[in-house]
Amino acid sequence: MDALLIILLVTLGAGLAMPLGAVIAAVENIHSDWLEQEFRHSVLAFGAGALLSAVALVLVPEGIKHQSAHSAALWFIAGGFGFMLLDIVLQKANTPASQLAAMLADFIPESIALGATFSANPQMALLLAGIIALQNLPEGFNAYRELRNRFTSGPRLIGSFALMALLGPAAGLAGYLWLHDAVEIVSAIMLFAAGGILYAVFQDMAPNVKLERHWGPPMGTVLGFVLGMVGFMLAH
């Protein structure tokens, strides 16, 4: 199969995990208290685990291959500061879309890195696509729950998420066509995304996972991470 078609399919599939997560969140016949409490927290924790696996197993190991220790640290810290500034802007704007913004802020650079990585290491690129899908599913779920009260039409909101999924193929193709030989730029993008993701996990996700007298949500982090770990091991 042509490489361009594969990139289109895998990035689109990873992106469609966002509206799929929204569809799951839109199911109203789940017991509302359980959905709002343990299930929502468990989904959030699963997403945090998937994000951590992306940072620990893909983005940082691949990113540091073509950077000095000094430049790697600078790009990683820049990513953290970039997400922090986004967080501050969203807080001052008093918008409910912080989860949505965070979702797109890591989905787009990861898709660029996926496309750029594909020609050199297709297995690693497919692993990254799988991890992106794993993190987009709970992020789509939480973004829908965050935005639902501002929209009169749930289906329209889900449709918006589906349109956003198209950003993945566009970013993936851009990375493949223009950055596949620019290994230093791609590694910088990976490290920037990794720093931003780590900030987002501990700023927005991890503090909201804990529930008193509930022990399931933290295990979601373990399960999310172990899926990324198994994928990493199978790709090597």
Side-chain angles (χ1 to χ4, degrees):
M1 189 182 296
D2 184 76
L4 291 177
L5 180 57
I6 295 174
I7 292 170
L8 280 173
L9 291 175
V10 297
T11 51
L12 181 61
L16 287 176
M18 292 187 289
L20 178 59
V23 169
I24 296 171
V27 176
E28 298 292 344
N29 59 356
I30 301 177
H31 193 281
S32 59
D33 290 340
W34 181 74
L35 180 65
E36 283 294 339
Q37 294 298 319
E38 188 153 4
F39 183 71
R40 186 174 189 274
H41 285 247
S42 297
V43 169
L44 193 66
F46 183 87
L51 286 167
L52 288 174
S53 72
V55 171
L57 301 174
V58 180
L59 296 175
V60 169
E62 291 298 306
I64 62 177
K65 285 182 179 179
H66 305 286
Q67 297 285 335
S68 67
H70 177 261
S71 61
L74 286 177
W75 282 115
F76 193 87
I77 293 170
F81 271 110
F83 275 58
M84 182 184 72
L85 291 174
L86 176 63
D87 208 18
I88 293 170
V89 170
L90 292 172
Q91 181 69 29
K92 289 185 176 181
N94 194 28
T95 175
S98 58
Q99 185 72 35
L100 178 63
M103 178 170 63
L104 292 177
D106 58 56
F107 176 50
I108 292 173
E110 284 176 343
S111 296
I112 293 172
L114 185 157
T117 303
F118 188 85
S119 59
N121 193 338
Q123 291 82 7
M124 185 60 68
L126 292 175
L127 169 62
L128 182 56
I131 293 177
I132 293 171
L134 283 177
Q135 70 192 50
N136 280 345
L137 184 67
E139 286 183 335
F141 179 95
N142 284 292
Y144 180 91
R145 302 289 294 178
E146 193 175 55
L147 291 168
R148 179 65 183 89
N149 292 335
R150 295 292 185 97
F151 286 79
T152 57
S153 172
R156 183 177 297 176
L157 183 56
I158 293 171
S160 299
F161 280 34
L163 288 175
M164 292 174 196
L166 299 177
L167 294 172
L173 286 177
Y176 180 77
L177 294 173
W178 297 315
L179 296 176
H180 64 279
D181 289 327
V183 291
E184 291 187 359
I185 295 175
V186 175
S187 63
I189 291 172
M190 285 182 163
L191 290 166
F192 184 91
I197 288 169
L198 199 61
Y199 171 88
V201 166
F202 287 96
Q203 171 66 10
D204 298 323
M205 302 180 79
N208 294 317
V209 167
K210 183 174 174 60
L211 275 175
E212 295 297 330
R213 300 183 183 278
H214 292 277
W215 296 271
M219 279 305 300
T221 307
V222 177
L223 294 174
F225 190 94
V226 78
L227 282 177
M229 183 178 70
V230 170
F232 177 81
M233 295 176 71
L234 292 175
H236 284 75

